[in-house]
Amino acid sequence: MTTVEQAAYIIQNQIRDYGTETVPFDRSAGRVLAEDIYADRDMPPFNRVTMDGIAISYSAFADGLRSFHVSGIQAAGDKPLHITDTSHCIEIMTGAVLPDTLDTVIRYEDVLITGSDAEIIIDTVKQGQNIHAKGRDKRYGDVVVTSGQLITPAIISVIASVGKTQVLVKKQPRVVIIPSGDELVDVHETPAPYQIRKSNNHTINAVLQQHGCAADMVHIADDEAVTRTEITRCLKSYDVILLSGGVSMGKFDYIPQALQQVGVAKLFYKVQQRPGKPFWFGVNDQGVLVFAFPGNPVATFMCLHRYFLPWLNATVGLDKKNEMYAALSEDFYFEPDLQYFLQVKTTLTADARLIASPLMGNGSGDFANLADTDAFLELPADRSEFEAGEVFRLWPFK
Ligand SMILES: Nc1nc2c(c(=O)[nH]1)N[C@H]1C(S)=C(S)[C@@H](COP(=O)(O)OP(=O)(O)OC[C@H]3O[C@@H](n4cnc5c(N)ncnc54)[C@H](O)[C@@H]3O)O[C@H]1N2
Ligand code: MOO
Ligand SMILES: [Mg+2]
């Protein structure tokens, strides 16, 4: 049987490049930047006052002057005032441009203003204090954000500040999510006693949304001909098909055979793991990838995190080298010769150790347990006993 490592390797050999597209900058968070962003002005673009107070010429202070005539007030957004008399000061606000002839700002807390006189009531003043110098952070033309990064909220402000209304990002694959099964009804429907509401597909969709990836959804009934027709149609319109259900040994599990009948070549079927053993993966001659996840909700969820998301990240050029590991909080025993994805709740200790506490739940149908846990701990297949304190690879999902 295919091991977890082999399955991951086979999938990572199918990395694609879907090119780039331009999107409005305020809709680009979560996407991967495909161009360098340059400063269109110095940053800051002028000598920016950082404290509300008065601006003076330091030379006058150095010559012993302590009381200055206030000759004006300058707010942020005002054109800079022009002051020539060194015995004059202006009141000036945070964010304002420092006038050319002035070089030092003293906070309101350190001056006493009476009428149009400002008296400095501290002894120590440093030339240039409370000024964020023009070009101190970045120079005009500097690269301020490099291509290939995930666009975070922090990066959005940089993009906004340089006036880029549109940004070039990596294109995401066109994805369709296909839940299958006659027992499934829509969320707004009231299920008969022998039915359940669809949930796996919505979970997949929510995870994709978190990764800036939109997807369509198509339900297929447990009918062999319908399965073939729908998959054939989707193979023409999408880059990736994510199926959930219908891949095991049941009389109505038509997915593996239907996929092969419509020209999707199997790259593996069945992985040495729990949950998710019946996972099927393949590709057609147009390069469309098909991830057919086992229908049990925890199996679908685990396979999505363990296999699909690393593929998606690599495809958009995000190299997630920061693998995570955690230590088991207690001894754990798992007999079968399968890699076990143990549901855990993680905590970070005061000495920066990540601890994973097992919360097994009731098997791969118990998706309510996922709400109480936040990661899978990947326990290797070649052993049965795992000791408290031992460190294993962690797949966080919250
Ligand atoms: N004889 C055997 N039976 C089963 C085996 C096996 O090796 N031999 N493997 C078991 C394992 S492991 C899994 S996992 C499941 C995989 O089943 P399928 O992929 O065929 O999925 P279904 O039979 O369609 O459904 C399984 C289960 O999941 C529920 N489900 C499916 N889709 C959804 C959805 N979109 N939202 C919510 N719940 C969904 C479905 O109702 C079933 O309860 O097979 C075992 N059997
Ligand atoms: O993958 Mo199945 O989920 O082990 O039950
Ligand atoms: Mg089944």
Side-chain angles (χ1 to χ4, degrees), residues 108-130:
Y108 275 130
E109 292 90 323
D110 301 331
V111 290
L112 194 63
I113 297 190
T114 321
S116 57
D117 273 334
E119 187 192 346
I120 298 171
I121 55 172
I122 50 166
D123 297 328
T124 312
V125 169
K126 273 176 43 192
Q127 186 172 22
Q129 72 178 29
N130 298 327

Side-chain angles (χ1 to χ4, degrees), residues 227-256:
T227 301
R228 279 197 301 266
T229 311
E230 283 301 313
I231 292 175
T232 301
R233 195 178 60 78
C234 288
L235 285 168
K236 291 186 186 130
S237 318
Y238 297 94
D239 302 310
V240 176
I241 298 180
L242 299 180
L243 285 136
S244 171
V247 297
S248 191
M249 310 284 288
K251 281 263 150 57
F252 311 100
D253 289 338
Y254 297 119
I255 302 293

Side-chain angles (χ1 to χ4, degrees), residues 46-116:
F46 47 79
N47 288 322
R48 187 183 71 91
V49 170
T50 66
M51 288 283 182
D52 305 308
I54 62 165
I56 62 164
S57 165
Y58 181 77
S59 64
F61 180 87
D63 290 344
L65 191 66
R66 292 296 178 269
S67 193
F68 289 78
H69 174 75
V70 181
S71 66
I73 296 190
Q74 194 188 315
D78 285 350
K79 268 194 198 154
L81 295 173
H82 188 63
I83 308 295
T84 46
D85 188 333
T86 56
S87 69
H88 287 200
C89 71
I90 58 168
E91 289 185 59
I92 198 157
M93 308 307 141
T94 304
V97 179
L98 183 75
D100 280 347
T101 53
L102 305 178
D103 61 3
T104 301
V105 171
I106 298 146
R107 316 180 298 167
Y108 275 130
E109 292 90 323
D110 301 331
V111 290
L112 194 63
I113 297 190
T114 321
S116 57

Side-chain angles (χ1 to χ4, degrees), residues 30 65 68 71 76 105 147 167-168 171 175 241 289 297 330 335:
L65 191 66
F68 289 78
S71 66
V105 171
S147 178
V167 277
L168 195 68
K171 242 190 201 164
V175 178
I241 298 180
L289 295 173
E330 58 191 67
E335 174 74 44

Side-chain angles (χ1 to χ4, degrees), residues 332-354:
F332 187 78
Y333 186 79
F334 181 73
E335 174 74 44
D337 185 22
L338 299 169
Q339 202 112 320
Y340 187 57
F341 289 85
L342 171 65
Q343 289 178 69
V344 294
K345 174 96 185 139
T346 58
T347 43
L348 193 58
T349 62
D351 58 346
R353 283 179 313 125
L354 195 57

